[in-house]
Structures are given as C-alpha cells and as structure tokens.
Amino acid sequence: MALSEREAPDTAKRLLALRADEQPRLRKVAAYMRGRQDSVYVPKGARQEYRWLIKRAKVNILPLVVTVVAQSLFVDGYRPERTEKNAKAWKYWQANRMDGRQHGLHRATLKYGLAYTLVLPGQLADQPMPVITPKSPQRMTAFYSDPVEDEWPLYAIEVKTENLPNGKTQQVVYLYDEESRFRLVGDGKPGSRLLLDEGDGAVAEHGLGVCPVVRYLNGDDLDGDECVTGEVEPLFDMQDQLNSTTFGRMMAEQFAAFRQRWVSGMVVEDEEGRPRAPFQAAVDRLWTAEDPDTKFGEFGQTDLSGYLQSAEETIRHVATVSQTPPHNLLGQMANLSAEALNAARDGLNSKVAERKSTTGESHEQTLRLSSLAAGDEAGWRDTSAQVVWRDTESRSLAQTVDALGKLVQMLGVPPEVLWERIPNVTQQDVERWKAAAEKGDALGQLNARIDKQTAAIAALDEAPVVPEFDGVAG
C-alpha cells in the first residue's frame, strides 16, 4: 500500500516501535561475536587481581562457527534455464561489487539469522544500473503482512545516524513502500517526533511496484521467521560454560598451580616486635634458616587436567550442536585419513547445502528485482534462472581431475560442462577456456579443410594422363 507524505511520519514511528522489540536480541548476538559475553560470578568485594582474570578468561569460538560455513558460500553465476551463459542480471551483480560484498551478506545472515538487500534504480555511464546494497538487521527491518507466505514486504525501515557540521548528530530514517522512499529526520530519543526532511530527495519515487527489499533467512520455518535463529544464538550457554571453565583454570594457575611452601619452628618479628612472614615467596628465591629445628615443606600443586578436559568436552559439544567438524575447533588432525576427514564433514556439508538452498532463493529474488529496476522485463519475469555456487570444498586436484575424466570417458559427459566443477575455478576462468576451445576448434576445422583441399589437388596432379580421342578409328 503506497503511503502519502502525510502518512509517512506516523507510519515510520509505529514501525520503529515494532523494530525496537528485536534490537536487544541482535545487540546481544553482536556482543557475543565480539567476545563481550556475560561475565562469570563476581563476589562482592572482589580484588583487582580477580577482576583482571575475569577480563582475560574468555575463549571466543563463536566467530569460527560462522566462518566455517561462510567460507563455503560463494555465488559464482546466475544462469537462465537451458543455457550455460550468465543472465543479463549478472552484470548488475558484478557492477555492484557483490562478488566481494556477498561475504558480509552471508555472514550477517548466519550470525543474526536474517539480513536484507535493498535494490533501487540507478544509472552508470548513462545506462540503467540498479543499486544493490546489503543491509544488516541492526540497520534495517522489513515488515510483512504474512511473514511466511509473502514474497515482498509491505514496508521496510532503515535507521542511520548522521553527523552534522555543528558537531551534533541526527537520526535519519528511510521508509520504503511499493512506490517511494521517504527520508525522515529526528533526534533519536525514544518517543521523539519524526519529520519529513525539508531538503531535496525527501521523497524519491522508485516505481517498482513492490517494496524494494529482499529478506535473507538462515533457515526456513513454517511457524514464521521468529522461529529462525542464526548460528550463534543457540551456542550462548555453551560459550558461557567455556568461559567459566577457562576462568577456573586461570584461577588455579594463578593461585594453586605454583607450589606453596611452608615453614615451622621459626618466628620472625619486625622492628616493633610484631610477628611477620619470615620469607617472601618467589620462583627465584631460596629459603634458609640457621636453627636446625626449623622445618620446611610444600603443598601439592593443583592438577589442571580436569579443567582442560572440561573445556575440550564443551568445545566438542559446540561442534556437535553446530555441525562443525571437531578438528576445526580443536585443531587436532593427527593421523586422520581422507575418509575420516570426509566423514567428519558430513554434517557441515549437509548444513551448507541447506544454506545454499535458502540463501540462493533470496539471491535469485534480488537479481530478478535488479532486472526490474533496470527495465529488463524479461529478466524480472524469469523465475527459472538459478544462481551457481562455487565448489569450495577442499579436495585433491589429482583426485578431482581423475573423477571428472572418468565421467567424460565412461559416461560421455562433455568436458566443457565439467570445467566449472574443478575446485577454485571461477566463472571467468570457464568462459575464457570455452572461448579458447572454440577458437581452437575453428582453427582446427580450417586446417582440416585446407589439408583436404591440398590432398585433392595432389590427387589430381598424380592421376595418369589419358590420351584424347581424335574421332578416327584405328
């Protein structure tokens, strides 16, 4: 439903109130990813040394859980049905530097459970060029009539903070509907008034007929996107357990791992006759006594193996819940065969395949919308085109080439079709190879034709000469 300039401020204010409900969850996810997890218990009157240990007793493994999946996601093409060439919309993808920016989009989706792309009409060198911008859910929120069934949102709202020349800041709110983008300003305080910006561009029509925002989800759930979480949120408690174990180990290292010594039969007094400690213990100091009745001894040190085993078990639990190969988190790869490594990656491969399926649909929706923004009606109506994912799985090149060669020899699969399945080969590499192969085929056909003509001429030259008949019988 298209909004009027009069309705935009009140609508934006209501949407900001709804958006505020999800912000605490997003801020907590961002804090945990940065290593700002909940603190362990701090007793009243804790010494500075105690607090110093708390600050450093954190082993943040959550970014690695996200990175392992994100490194397996790379869109390398966008092809219509029954063709090996990329669709026209792929030029819009590359013009917007999405080859590199897609990583941030994938990480935000994995981290928060959702992310967005904003697509608006634009120009590049006097040619239509849509503008594709990935957005974090901390900056943008889309609102749907039915979050499960609807492809396009009713409205989307984006919140920014801009610096003013006088050193102050102002809140800028962009409101998107099916026809326009509204720019509103305010001071950012709760309940404050939003006003339509008085400058140029306060209302900009995009004329796409749909709200120009595409939602990316980390998974799909028929109960709604509220049931879909990122990779980080289910691991909060286990991350806290790991930090607590690490703190206990550091406390033991600081106060109990160093063997404490004791002395008996010795009383040392200060200048005022008060008893004091006879020695200042240190690693590089030796205790001696003149009295032969003085006895020395030491207490046993604390065994740290229990702390280390507890931390390892917690990390293994994280690996199980997140379907992350344990060796990625523990760094233990001793004597692992290729079959064992493949088996350890089965869960991760299944999760990556599911993420490619859900994220790929959103990428296709973004590319279709970019076609509409560029005036390409055929690209907008093409719902059969699919994104192509790069094969990022680490395998032996010799093993891959051997398997692909058998497909060509035994099953008759054309070699050109299998080039893109070679690991770390980009779509540009495949296109260059195909162009070189076509050029080589054309040159070979020309040489074959020349050879055939040369052979025909040579055959004529070598043919025996037949005497001409003069019409007189012998």
Side-chain angles (χ1 to χ4, degrees), residues 38-343:
D38 293 342
S39 174
V40 299
Y41 171 72
V42 181
K44 186 177 180 180
R47 294 185 300 174
Q48 187 66 25
E49 187 176 14
Y50 189 97
R51 299 181 183 276
W52 182 88
L53 289 174
I54 292 176
K55 185 178 180 179
R56 287 157 178 78
K58 293 181 179 179
V59 179
N60 191 13
I61 61 175
L62 299 180
L64 184 57
V65 173
V66 173
T67 297
V68 169
V69 182
Q71 289 176 342
S72 300
L73 301 177
F74 189 90
V75 176
D76 207 18
Y78 178 62
R79 297 178 187 171
E81 189 177 12
R82 298 178 181 176
T83 181
E84 296 181 6
K85 294 184 178 180
N86 286 320
K88 185 178 180 181
W90 185 246
K91 296 181 180 179
Y92 311 146
W93 176 276
Q94 293 191 312
N96 283 274
R97 299 177 289 116
M98 289 298 293
D99 279 348
R101 299 169 76 190
Q102 64 176 300
H103 298 298
L105 179 60
H106 293 156
R107 286 180 180 274
T109 305
L110 294 168
K111 181 166 60 174
Y112 298 111
L114 78 162
Y116 303 96
T117 53
L118 172 67
V119 182
L120 293 172
Q123 294 283 331
L124 179 63
D126 298 329
Q127 296 293 327
M129 180 57 65
V131 179
I132 305 174
T133 310
K135 297 291 183 179
S136 165
Q138 289 202 86
R139 299 186 64 173
M140 173 172 279
T141 305
F143 299 89
Y144 293 77
S145 176
D146 187 334
V148 177
E149 300 294 338
D150 291 350
E151 183 179 12
W152 303 101
L154 291 174
Y155 307 108
I157 195 166
E158 180 183 3
V159 181
K160 293 182 178 180
T161 300
E162 291 186 355
N163 297 318
L164 299 176
N166 59 7
K168 297 182 179 180
T169 60
Q170 70 175 2
Q171 183 187 56
V172 179
V173 177
Y174 291 99
L175 175 62
Y176 301 90
D177 66 6
E178 61 188 30
E179 292 295 334
S180 305
R181 182 196 70 179
F182 300 89
R183 175 184 165 95
L184 304 104
V185 295
D187 57 13
K189 296 180 180 179
S192 62
R193 188 178 180 186
L194 284 175
L195 299 175
L196 200 62
D197 195 358
E198 298 178 355
D200 295 337
V203 181
E205 293 186 4
H206 55 74
L208 296 179
V210 295
C211 184
V213 172
V214 178
R215 178 183 56 179
Y216 288 73
L217 294 176
N218 191 46
D220 199 1
D221 194 293
L222 298 182
D223 292 327
D225 56 352
E226 294 85 359
C227 299
V228 178
T229 60
E231 303 294 328
V232 177
E233 198 168 356
L235 306 177
F236 282 170
D237 291 338
M238 283 171 276
Q239 177 65 63
D240 291 339
Q241 292 172 18
L242 181 60
N243 291 343
S244 179
T245 302
T246 303
F247 172 72
R249 176 177 58 82
M250 292 184 67
M251 285 285 290
E253 290 175 345
Q254 184 74 7
F255 298 108
F258 178 71
R259 295 185 178 182
Q260 300 295 317
R261 299 185 180 93
W262 56 265
V263 58
S264 64
M266 175 184 292
V267 177
V268 180
E269 299 178 347
D270 59 14
E271 297 176 353
E272 298 180 0
R274 293 175 299 185
R276 64 174 179 84
F279 303 103
Q280 291 185 355
V283 177
D284 56 350
R285 292 183 178 180
L286 182 66
W287 291 3
T288 61
E290 297 178 357
D291 189 348
D293 295 330
T294 302
K295 297 181 180 179
F296 296 95
E298 64 180 8
F299 300 105
Q301 64 183 10
T302 299
D303 184 11
L304 301 178
S305 60
Y307 293 102
L308 298 175
Q309 292 175 2
S310 176
E312 183 175 338
E313 289 302 318
T314 301
I315 294 176
R316 291 187 183 278
H317 193 190
V318 171
T320 301
V321 173
S322 65
Q323 293 182 284
T324 304
H327 62 268
N328 284 87
L329 299 176
L330 294 170
Q332 297 177 355
M333 296 184 62
N335 300 323
L336 289 179
S337 63
E339 291 77 11
L341 287 175
N342 289 334

